[in-house]
Amino acid sequence: MREVAIIGVGMTKFGELWDTPLRDLFATAAAECLEDAGVEREKVQSAYIGCMSGGLFVGQEHLASMLTDYAGLKGISATRVESACASGGAAFRAAWMEVASGMSDFVLAGGVEKMNDGADATYCLATAADQEYEVYNGVTFPGLYAMIANAHMEKYGTTPQMLAQVAVKNHANGALNPKAQFQMKITQDTVLGAVRVAEPLGLFDCSPVTDGAACVLLAPVEVAKKLGKPIVKVIGAGHATDTIALHDREDLAAIPAVGEAARRAYEMAGVGPDDIDVAEVHDCFTIAEIVCSEELGFFERGKAGQAALDGVTALDGAKPINTSGGLKSKGHPVGASGIAQICELTLQLTGRAGERQLKKKPRIALAQNMGGSGGSCTVHILEVEQ
Amino acid sequence: MITPRYHREIPQRYRLEGGKCTQCGEVHFPPRAVCRKCGGREMETVDLPRRGKVLTHTTIWIPPAQFESQKPYVVAVVELENGVRLTCMVADAPPDEVKIGTEVEIIFRKLQSDPRWEVLQYGYKAKVVG
């Protein structure tokens, strides 16, 4: 396998982008990415694009053709990738494999979702759960994570204040990200006093409904070196799946696919959780960041909530998580989120993250992107050559 | 829900029928074509026990449109006496009555009456015992 580098990143502003259609979201992110890479679009040989549900959100499938056409890439090999909210991470993995295998030199990994176009977002998102044996019986997507939260609280004594601190911290980071959907700080009181969605989760425990797109361009390390780019290498890639239904998993206070994907990625990279300087963790709900941080090995089981309260995961903490604002504050256009995580980490690793740039420039970063209630997960580990 | 699918799923929804692998004895709910444990492909129909306990739960305040009239309602993961698990609503229960470990029995109820599909939809719910 060849070593693969990320040589360009691009993303749209995330938010309620009523005036921008799905196709132009993607085209904009792709154009920004190619400009950042300094690579002409004629060089791009292939694209993998994560999108959870163009069919339900905007009534459009067959997206790979349309999106690459509108991005000025008509004719290339293009594939749409779906793994619910992990679609972006899965697209990145496919693009990485195509470059690593030696098949192509310039491959675009993208993600896009247009969630604000009149569709019932709660209904669309619930299709990431088991339609016949979860959703039919009245459970919603926040409801599944609420059940994980209650199990975690019962088993480890995790509190609503710990959950709330995840949202407070991610909003503080998002306030420094000009592309974030919600660039505002919030307090514990805002989170704890918010309208209830599914107990114990309120509105501010949930990531928002977002339009947006993100793209990264991959190339072999030796090609990236010739271009004179800073070398951000993909050193580890892990992917795991699990049962789609939460109730079929033994421990309801855990998300085993995350731990398994992480184990595979760490093994490939030859690093462990203590080596990670910065991480983007899939905080679709506040409880998700807590459980996933434990699965990734950043904290012992049951300790991630206290770590959030203690500021360990804050921008100036020992283990900064979601410097972008995370899905909570930056926004969660589901198919794009996994790619947007890679964009953020690439910016942090190359010292280009603006006001939210970590004071001590990180060397190794981890992106964790998850589908459904944990039915799928990708973990990617990146390292910048100093 | 579309009618062919609804019709197909009546045995498990109305009668809580599972599938038991004739090779290794693993019980599946819903029934599966291929045994998750041994790969066996012959299943016999078994009735699942009606009693179980709550493993985790939530109260849904913001439901999808078809459940709007029932909000707020409690949903739980229930483990039946033989270890089989399912997700269902807990009927007629105020939220603070349902806790982890609460004993329940599975009952037959109307779940949805979504006018889009012109078919009443039935299935199982849990009910707190005692």
Side-chain angles (χ1 to χ4, degrees), chain A residues 160-161 163-165 167-168 186-197 199-206 286 328, chain B residues 61-62:
Chain A
Q161 287 75 18
L163 300 186
Q165 192 57 34
V168 170
I186 56 168
T187 64
Q188 282 253 341
D189 288 345
T190 314
V191 186
L192 297 170
V195 60
R196 299 288 90 190
V197 174
E199 288 288 353
L201 304 179
L203 187 64
F204 277 77
D205 287 289
C206 307
T286 50
K328 174 70 200 79
Chain B
W61 286 93
I62 302 186

Side-chain angles (χ1 to χ4, degrees), chain B:
Chain B
M1 183 185 293
I2 52 174
T3 309
R5 187 191 310 163
Y6 186 78
H7 189 261
R8 186 172 69 232
E9 292 170 353
I10 279 177
Q12 52 264 43
R13 294 210 199 292
Y14 284 28
R15 301 191 292 275
L16 212 61
E17 286 181 4
K20 184 176 178 182
C21 177
T22 55
Q23 203 164 284
C24 77
E26 177 80 353
V27 178
H28 307 90
F29 184 84
R32 295 183 179 213
V34 178
C35 176
R36 68 183 149 205
K37 201 167 160 194
C38 75
R41 291 164 66 181
E42 269 190 39
M43 302 284 169
E44 63 183 5
T45 299
V46 289
D47 287 336
L48 298 184
R50 283 352 192 219
R51 295 283 287 259
K53 63 174 195 238
V54 170
L55 294 185
T56 188
H57 59 87
T58 182
T59 303
I60 306 279
W61 286 93
I62 302 186
Q66 66 270 32
F67 294 109
E68 186 67 29
S69 64
Q70 300 183 58
K71 75 172 183 189
Y73 56 86
V74 178
V75 170
V77 171
V78 172
E79 184 169 82
L80 303 177
E81 282 170 341
N82 65 347
V84 167
R85 294 170 174 196
L86 43 82
T87 299
C88 62
M89 283 193 201
V90 184
D92 314 324
D96 55 5
E97 200 185 313
V98 180
K99 299 193 169 15
I100 291 174
T102 296
E103 302 271 334
V104 294
E105 65 179 329
I106 305 297
I107 54 173
F108 177 73
R109 284 289 172 95
K110 186 176 90 179
L111 295 187
Q112 308 175 25
S113 47
D114 186 336
R116 284 177 299 179
W117 308 117
E118 296 179 342
V119 57
L120 292 176
Q121 298 182 30
Y122 296 87
Y124 46 86
K125 290 189 183 184
K127 188 176 191 301
V128 176
V129 173

